[in-house]
Amino acid sequence: MYELNLPKFQIQLRGTHEKPEIFDFLRRRFVRLTPEEWVRQHFVHWLVEHKGFPKGLLGNEIELSVGDKKLRCDSILYNQQKTPQMIIEYKAPTIALTQKVFNQISAYNLFLHVDYLVVSNGLQHYCCRMNYEQHTYEFLPDIPDYDKI
């Protein structure tokens, strides 16, 4: 897999060369190892182990139902009241973080109305804080530690 701009962690792999799997410690099961999943697993471990995010407040592959349309958020951080607070969208390291990626996460936020939007391809990470009162957003220099959210 790819070298990422994220710390290493204790990776658990299984499966075959054709169908590798990686253990997702949030979903507590092995999932298909894709380049995007490689980024997701590194990123959520980094959030928990280095940024202080509570494991119990993070969820991977969260499905949203809006009428007959289904959307799937890569990861969501909830607050203590179980209200979504941050949406995280991952792309493979070979995918550029373009306006199209930000449009995708913004579409999810129309339904969730969170405080933070994060996108990462494992090499670059962007975080913006929403200001709904002023109808603006601010890009932050880094992903904040959990105690600063």
Side-chain angles (χ1 to χ4, degrees), residues 15 47 82 115 118 120 138:
L47 290 177
K82 305 294 187 234
D115 297 328
V118 175
S120 176
E138 169 194 12

Side-chain angles (χ1 to χ4, degrees), residues 57 77-85 115 146:
L57 296 180
L77 170 71
Y78 297 91
N79 62 21
Q80 295 292 337
Q81 293 73 40
K82 305 294 187 234
T83 303
Q85 189 170 20
D115 297 328
Y146 180 75

Side-chain angles (χ1 to χ4, degrees), residues 96-136:
L97 300 179
T98 63
Q99 185 62 48
K100 184 177 177 182
V101 176
F102 287 93
N103 292 348
Q104 180 183 3
I105 197 170
S106 295
Y108 299 156
N109 198 36
L110 290 174
F111 305 108
L112 295 178
H113 207 73
V114 300
D115 297 328
Y116 296 89
L117 301 176
V118 175
V119 296
S120 176
N121 64 4
L123 303 173
Q124 298 176 297
H125 326 292
Y126 295 99
C127 178
C128 61
R129 180 176 32 222
M130 306 303 294
N131 183 328
Y132 294 103
E133 290 177 10
Q134 296 181 0
H135 304 288
T136 62

